[in-house]
Amino acid sequence: MSGESTENTLKGQVALVTGSSRRIGRSVALRLAHAGADLVVHAATSRAEIEGVAREIEALGRRSVAVLGDVTSESDVLKMFDRSEEHTSELQSPDHLVCRLLLEKKK
């Protein structure tokens, strides 16, 4: 990177980051928040963890909505988007979608 600040380069934009409760997904969500984006953050099952990430984003002065769902289930994905659209007064439809998937080898 050139060392230039990316703060507010995404101001006014919304990103949905799947798998954002931990590790890489969490880091990506927080980086986007630092760049000025508002976030829809997602976890498969951990409500406490994803709500913690949403609070971290809000502490940065950004808006955030936490959603749960299984990204391998079409109905859950539709529910995730419905849930984020319920907050249209808080956030617009996502401008960016970051999918972070963990592939596990079956034993």
Side-chain angles (χ1 to χ4, degrees):
M1 294 186 82
S2 64
E4 295 177 20
S5 173
T6 58
E7 190 172 333
N8 292 321
T9 58
L10 297 177
K11 187 173 184 169
Q13 297 182 41
V14 176
L16 186 156
V17 181
T18 66
S20 50
S21 62
R22 291 183 253 166
R23 297 183 291 274
I24 293 171
R26 178 181 170 276
S27 295
V28 169
L30 291 172
R31 184 66 192 106
L32 291 169
H34 278 287
D38 294 320
L39 276 290
V40 177
V41 290
H42 158 267
T45 58
S46 180
R47 180 166 300 284
E49 284 183 330
I50 201 60
E51 287 178 351
V53 173
R55 283 191 299 276
E56 286 183 74
I57 291 165
E58 290 166 358
L60 295 171
R62 308 308 321 152
R63 296 175 297 168
S64 184
V65 174
V67 297
L68 292 178
D70 178 355
V71 295
T72 66
S73 163
E74 182 179 353
S75 64
D76 273 14
V77 170
L78 293 173
K79 287 177 190 173
M80 272 192 326
F81 278 93
D82 288 344
R83 170 90 169 95
S84 64
E85 287 176 6
E86 288 172 8
H87 294 274
T88 53
S89 62
E90 297 171 39
L91 300 176
Q92 67 193 37
S93 297
D95 298 296
H96 307 279
L97 175 62
V98 179
C99 296
R100 208 271 318 143
L101 299 174
L102 173 64
L103 301 176
E104 293 182 356
K105 190 176 190 177
K106 288 189 177 187
K107 295 180 181 182

